Amino acid sequence: MALEKVSVVFKVYCLTVMTLVAATYTVTLRYTRTVSSDMYFSTTAVCVSELIKLVLSLGMLSKETGSPTRLKNVLVEHVFCSPKELLKLSVPSIVYAVQNNMAFLALSNLDAAVYQVTYQLKIPCTALCTVLMLNRSLSRLQWFSVFMLCGGVTLVQWKPAQSTKVQIEQNPFLGFVAIAIAVVCSGFAGVYFEKVLKSSDTSLWVRNIQMYISGIVVTLIGVYINDGEKVLENGFFFGYTPMVCFVVLLASVGGLYTSVVVKYTDNIMKGFSAAAAIVLSTVASVFMFGLQITFSFASGALLVCVSIYLYGLPKTETSKLNRQDDDKHSKQRLITV
């Protein structure tokens, strides 16, 4: 899929916002899970986030269609009269719901910087799903960067950096398991959604609406199963503070903004964004949570940042190289004759 030509300023703007959203989301989510006195229910936060995404997607589809009548016709055709499509999009809805809940669990047990670095394992997981589900191939450099990234994450987790200002009891192993589940969900759901998008010419915002409708149903079931009694006793929005509302908003906007970044930028720029988010999360964690940087953490984070950059480098177009070689050989044969 070719990238649309847009100004460099717009690309920089997109990546700056994406970087700030990614870094701010992890830090503020970590804060709300370790500092708040009345702990809110993560399942309700995920549900509200899905609802906001649905409203935002409806707004974008309304802008895309241009009139209320066209919007109505599109919704009737692709949503209300397409139960099979809703069922198809329920698969990533369930997987994303699990992923989002695992993010809350992980950030309840790991520092934001450690989470941000370890979460980059989604890259090799996505690569593997891409090879298996979309029949694509990776270059040798990309495979090398995948192994480098895994090595960097291993260093980070070998002796996790400790936060001195966090007083609650934490379980780093549980946090790592939660991240592992989240990255598997992220890789599978992302590739599955891409495959669905490319299987038809249906608008991205229509697909988002189909997915978020299913997502709301799935997350409501999750609220009932996990926190049903507590929600009935304390209320759906128990423990919600302005900071918690900010986290929910960031989760909603960040998910939609990623699609804009994918559309208008390339892998190298997204790699820089991910690396910058790691740096920002680390700096914020030092000041907010008293994160103590260890040599293994610094080395692992550096390896991860370098691997992200290498993974995003464009593949060498071997077909062009082969043509150039053939041309050279043919010229040499002519000269010989």
Side-chain angles (χ1 to χ4, degrees):
M1 184 173 61
L3 297 173
E4 294 186 20
K5 293 184 178 180
V6 293
S7 67
V8 176
V9 175
F10 181 73
K11 288 184 178 181
V12 172
Y13 161 75
C14 289
L15 287 166
T16 301
V17 174
M18 180 181 178
T19 302
L20 292 175
V21 167
T24 306
Y25 173 71
T26 54
V27 173
T28 51
L29 178 52
R30 169 69 171 173
Y31 178 85
T32 60
R33 300 304 290 180
T34 56
V35 178
S36 300
S37 55
D38 294 327
M39 188 60 66
Y40 61 98
F41 307 119
S42 61
T43 52
T44 63
V46 174
C47 182
V48 174
S49 174
E50 292 295 302
L51 181 60
I52 295 175
K53 288 178 185 178
L54 176 62
V55 173
L56 292 175
S57 295
L58 283 169
M60 295 303 296
L61 182 61
S62 175
K63 183 179 179 181
E64 185 176 86
T65 53
S67 69
T69 303
R70 290 179 182 176
L71 175 63
K72 177 185 176 182
N73 293 335
V74 170
L75 290 177
V76 169
E77 178 183 356
H78 293 284
V79 178
F80 299 107
C81 296
S82 300
K84 290 184 179 180
E85 294 300 311
L86 288 176
L87 185 62
K88 185 190 299 183
L89 270 297
S90 66
V91 175
S93 298
I94 295 172
V95 178
Y96 276 131
V98 174
Q99 175 196 335
N100 292 330
N101 280 285
M102 288 300 104
F104 280 86
L105 180 59
L107 282 165
S108 299
N109 292 280
L110 292 174
D111 187 84
V114 177
Y115 170 87
Q116 191 73 266
V117 175
T118 309
Y119 189 60
Q120 300 310 315
L121 283 172
K122 66 182 180 181
I123 293 176
C125 185
T126 302
L128 183 61
C129 290
T130 299
V131 171
L132 296 176
M133 297 172 63
L134 300 180
N135 295 320
R136 292 180 186 169
S137 61
L138 299 181
S139 66
R140 292 180 180 178
L141 182 61
Q142 285 179 314
W143 281 118
F144 173 75
S145 66
V146 164
F147 287 112
M148 181 188 290
L149 188 146
C150 293
V153 171
T154 301
L155 280 175
V156 169
Q157 290 292 337
W158 189 263
K159 189 178 179 181
Q162 299 296 321
S163 300
T164 59
K165 295 182 181 178
V166 176
Q167 304 299 325
I168 66 169
E169 185 179 352
Q170 299 176 98
N171 187 339
F173 177 75
L174 180 61
F176 179 76
V177 171
I179 291 183
I181 296 173
V183 298
V184 171
C185 291
S186 176
F188 172 78
V191 175
Y192 182 95
F193 188 58
E194 181 181 351
K195 190 172 183 178
V196 171
L197 281 177
K198 292 185 176 181
S199 64
S200 68
D201 296 328
T202 307
S203 166
L204 168 65
W205 302 114
V206 170
R207 290 302 191 190
N208 279 340
I209 290 170
Q210 292 171 337
M211 185 168 62
Y212 296 144
I213 289 175
S214 301
I216 292 171
V217 175
V218 169
T219 52
L220 280 174
I221 294 173
V223 172
Y224 175 77
I225 294 174
N226 295 317
D227 301 307
E229 295 182 2
K230 296 178 182 178
V231 169
L232 289 175
E233 181 181 351
N234 300 303
F236 193 87
F237 296 102
F238 174 77
Y240 275 59
T241 62
M243 187 67 76
V244 174
C245 295
F246 184 53
V247 168
V248 173
L249 181 63
L250 285 175
S252 306
V253 175
L256 293 177
Y257 214 90
T258 301
S259 61
V260 177
V261 172
V262 169
K263 185 176 182 179
Y264 292 114
T265 66
D266 54 31
N267 284 330
I268 297 178
M269 299 185 77
K270 284 185 286 183
F272 277 120
S273 174
I278 290 173
V279 173
L280 289 176
S281 298
T282 302
V283 173
S285 295
V286 170
F287 288 100
M288 292 181 63
F289 309 113
L291 180 69
Q292 296 178 335
I293 304 297
T294 61
F295 178 75
S296 61
F297 175 84
S299 303
L302 180 61
L303 277 178
V304 169
C305 291
V306 173
S307 66
I308 292 172
Y309 170 74
L310 293 177
Y311 185 85
L313 289 175
K315 291 183 180 180
T316 304
E317 296 187 22
T318 54
S319 58
K320 289 184 178 180
L321 291 177
N322 290 335
R323 278 197 222 104
Q324 290 176 358
D325 291 339
D326 291 340
D327 291 341
K328 288 181 181 179
H329 290 315
S330 61
K331 286 180 181 178
Q332 287 177 354
R333 284 195 293 271
L334 287 172
I335 291 173
T336 303
V337 173

